[in-house]
Amino acid sequence: MSQDITVGRVCFKVCIFQSGIIFNNGHKWRQQRRFALSTLKYFGFGKKSLEPVILDEFTHCAEEFRSSKGKPFNPRLAINSAVSNIICSLVFGHRFEYSDEKFRKLLGMFEDVFRMQASIWTGLYNSFPVLMRHLPGPHQTGRQAWRKVQDFVREQINEHKQTWDLSEQRDFIDCYLKEIHMGRVDNTFDEENLIVCVMDLFLAGTETTSTTLRWAFLYMAKYPEIQEKVQAEIDRVIGQSRQPSMEDRANLPYTDAVIHEIQRMGNIVPLSLPHSTNKDVQLGGYSIPKGVTIIPNLTSVLFDKNEWETPYTFNPGHFLSEEGKFVTQAAFIPFSAGKRLCLGENLARMELFLFFTSSMQHFTFSMPAGVKPSMEYRLGVTLAPKDYEVCVTSRQE
Ligand code: HEM
């Protein structure tokens, strides 16, 4: 899969294709991706300066956990709000209170968009766009939600414009406005592209990380003995008096291995995103003509019996040496591989490590009395656990 096969992205008609990052190709994609990566790095992507933003968000999320008072509680909204807020901080320059009506509406609209993306109606819309545009059905709600998200982002851009200062860039939108203002030759930056880029970061950056965290807490409730080992390691290395930091990862091999195993078993993007060949290629003895859709099968790698000792059993040992040191595995590719590799990998890894470690430091997750954890999944934009309730008990009391 990491062979040198030249691929672009298949563009779905239901999306604003040939804009932004995810559904774009060629020069436009390269320029938008490079810009997004360098700008997000400037604001701390994968760096120490972003740690306080993530940890601060955890404290808000922890309040929600605490307010459940150990009673059965669905953590989905709290986790979603926290993960979305990290993107909000980078893109809009501020976070929202979880109770903020506007924020709740935004999350609701994204949910509608996600739901639509995964439904049969999107398939029908993609096949018969002209007809479906005029027919009633759930796809119309999805289309409306998509337009409302665009309006929300447009509103944020207009607010930014009113206080915009060329000499001081506060966030992703400010930097993008600067790029439009500079009007360099061959430049693909305009407001429509800005809106789609922002939506791409939300689409790709919220559901993925929050789904992984929801798997994480479910696995911990299912395997209390693994949870206890993680907590014991955190207690030994970090204790209770300070917050975790990325520097702790090297000293927390068991915790790190558990996070990797959650991602492997969670397999949240089983078929990655569709690609298409942009020239004739030879791969593994096969000739693939230009313009063919390629669907990378990440599942086949994450569950390959030649690569993993117990492919279908949760086993942190997959990432540990005999001496208990963390070991990387080439077959661990939940973020895909190659030039279109996940742009948010560094951010996602930071979020997962800091959120998971902080959660284990402060809370214990268990199933409500008499309830068995269900590892069944709901196939949508991501492969997510079905909605579940969990008891979150504070460890300090
Ligand atoms: C656990 C979390 C995540 C997982 C498992 C994940 C996984 C993936 C996968 C499998 C792809 C498709 C790569 C391909 O086409 O071959 C992708 C693309 C992408 N991801 Fe992620 N992702 C995660 C988090 C994030 C975050 C936090 C962000 C952003 C803030 C993000 C932004 C993107 C973008 C923009 C693309 C499109 C890249 C392109 O087409 O050039 N992802 N991700």
Side-chain angles (χ1 to χ4, degrees):
M1 223 183 77
S2 56
Q3 238 170 310
D4 192 16
I5 173 169
T6 40
V7 286
R9 177 79 73 226
V10 173
C11 296
F12 296 105
K13 296 183 193 79
V14 75
C15 299
I16 307 167
F17 55 98
Q18 300 295 307
S19 305
I21 307 161
I22 302 180
F23 297 104
N24 212 340
N25 277 317
H27 171 66
K28 259 173 119 184
W29 161 75
R30 205 166 294 112
Q31 207 171 57
Q32 296 298 321
R33 179 171 167 123
R34 253 188 222 149
F35 171 81
L37 255 181
S38 63
T39 307
L40 293 169
K41 267 191 193 148
Y42 173 76
F43 288 110
F45 226 61
K47 290 201 216 146
K48 192 146 184 63
S49 56
L50 200 63
E51 278 190 34
V53 176
I54 300 174
L55 290 170
D56 176 56
E57 205 48 59
F58 171 75
T59 57
H60 292 279
C61 187
E63 275 171 37
E64 299 289 311
F65 286 171
R66 256 182 219 106
S67 68
S68 70
K69 297 197 166 76
K71 300 214 175 85
F73 156 79
N74 182 344
R76 190 165 56 85
L77 189 61
I79 299 173
N80 248 341
S81 307
V83 174
S84 292
N85 252 340
I86 295 165
I87 303 277
C88 287
S89 303
L90 289 164
V91 172
F92 303 142
H94 62 89
R95 64 178 297 280
F96 292 89
E97 288 303 325
Y98 297 176
S99 55
D100 186 315
E101 203 47 42
K102 234 179 176 181
F103 186 49
R104 279 180 173 259
K105 266 195 190 150
L106 177 73
L107 295 183
M109 288 184 295
F110 269 117
E111 268 199 16
D112 288 342
V113 171
F114 289 140
R115 218 175 299 129
M116 181 201 62
Q117 292 281 335
S119 81
I120 180 80
W121 293 91
T122 300
L124 288 171
Y125 188 93
N126 280 333
S127 306
F128 313 105
V130 179
L131 177 68
M132 292 301 285
R133 214 168 285 148
H134 300 288
L135 288 182
H139 61 295
Q140 296 295 358
T141 321
R143 270 161 55 86
Q144 270 167 21
W146 193 255
R147 275 195 294 268
K148 279 188 199 152
V149 176
Q150 281 184 56
D151 290 344
F152 179 90
V153 176
R154 205 169 272 122
E155 203 181 291
Q156 292 283 330
I157 295 172
N158 288 336
E159 280 173 20
H160 273 68
K161 278 188 189 162
Q162 280 162 22
T163 49
W164 187 67
D165 177 354
L166 182 60
S167 63
E168 193 206 350
Q169 315 307 311
R170 297 162 294 187
D171 49 43
F172 183 84
I173 292 182
D174 270 4
C175 292
Y176 205 105
L177 290 174
K178 183 177 172 189
E179 219 44 55
I180 297 175
H181 174 83
M182 304 290 265
R184 290 187 238 264
V185 187
D186 211 15
N187 138 350
T188 60
F189 298 90
D190 56 43
E191 260 186 61
E192 284 314 302
N193 248 324
L194 167 55
I195 293 171
V196 183
C197 273
V198 169
M199 287 167 68
D200 279 353
L201 293 175
F202 272 99
L203 279 174
T206 51
E207 172 86 357
T208 45
T209 310
S210 58
T211 297
T212 310
L213 285 167
R214 288 202 294 125
W215 277 123
F217 301 139
L218 190 58
Y219 273 112
M220 291 304 96
K222 183 173 165 68
Y223 297 113
E225 67 289 357
I226 295 181
Q227 179 169 212
E228 271 169 33
K229 273 182 91 171
V230 169
Q231 287 169 331
E233 188 182 58
I234 293 169
D235 289 352
R236 203 168 53 244
V237 175
I238 305 174
Q240 288 287 340
S241 57
R242 68 167 175 90
Q243 287 190 297
S245 119
M246 288 310 289
E247 280 160 12
D248 293 317
R249 185 154 63 172
N251 300 318
L252 295 168
Y254 188 76
T255 306
D256 205 9
V258 167
I259 296 172
H260 280 71
E261 186 64 355
I262 289 162
Q263 278 204 270
R264 187 189 72 79
M265 289 286 288
N267 182 27
I268 63 157
V269 202
L271 300 177
S272 187
L273 282 168
H275 291 222
S276 89
T277 45
N278 50 19
K279 65 175 187 194
D280 295 350
V281 285
Q282 292 291 326
L283 184 72
Y286 293 92
S287 304
I288 307 172
K290 179 179 172 176
V292 165
T293 300
I294 307 279
I295 300 180
N297 184 352
L298 301 188
T299 312
S300 69
V301 187
L302 293 173
F303 291 82
D304 186 341
K305 62 178 178 357
N306 299 319
E307 300 287 340
W308 309 99
E309 200 185 323
T310 58
Y312 293 98
T313 306
F314 190 87
N315 174 7
H318 285 141
F319 297 93
L320 290 168
S321 70
E322 277 180 11
E323 300 78 46
K325 294 216 165 76
F326 179 81
V327 280
T328 49
Q329 298 292 356
F332 178 76
I333 53 161
F335 298 100
S336 191
K339 283 185 186 159
R340 306 260 344 202
L341 168 91
C342 173
L343 175 144
E345 177 173 355
N346 283 341
L347 173 65
R349 282 174 176 272
M350 271 182 91
E351 288 174 337
L352 292 178
F353 179 78
L354 293 174
F355 253 82
F356 182 73
T357 311
S358 304
S359 302
M360 290 295 107
Q361 184 186 32
H362 294 287
F363 302 103
T364 296
F365 293 77
S366 57
M367 293 314 289
V371 179
K372 277 207 174 128
S374 158
M375 305 322 266
E376 275 180 41
Y377 53 79
R378 173 186 56 72
L379 187 59
V381 171
T382 57
L383 206 150
K386 286 194 171 159
D387 262 350
Y388 64 85
E389 287 195 327
V390 75
C391 299
V392 190
T393 21
S394 185
R395 293 185 63 213
Q396 277 97 333
E397 282 155 18

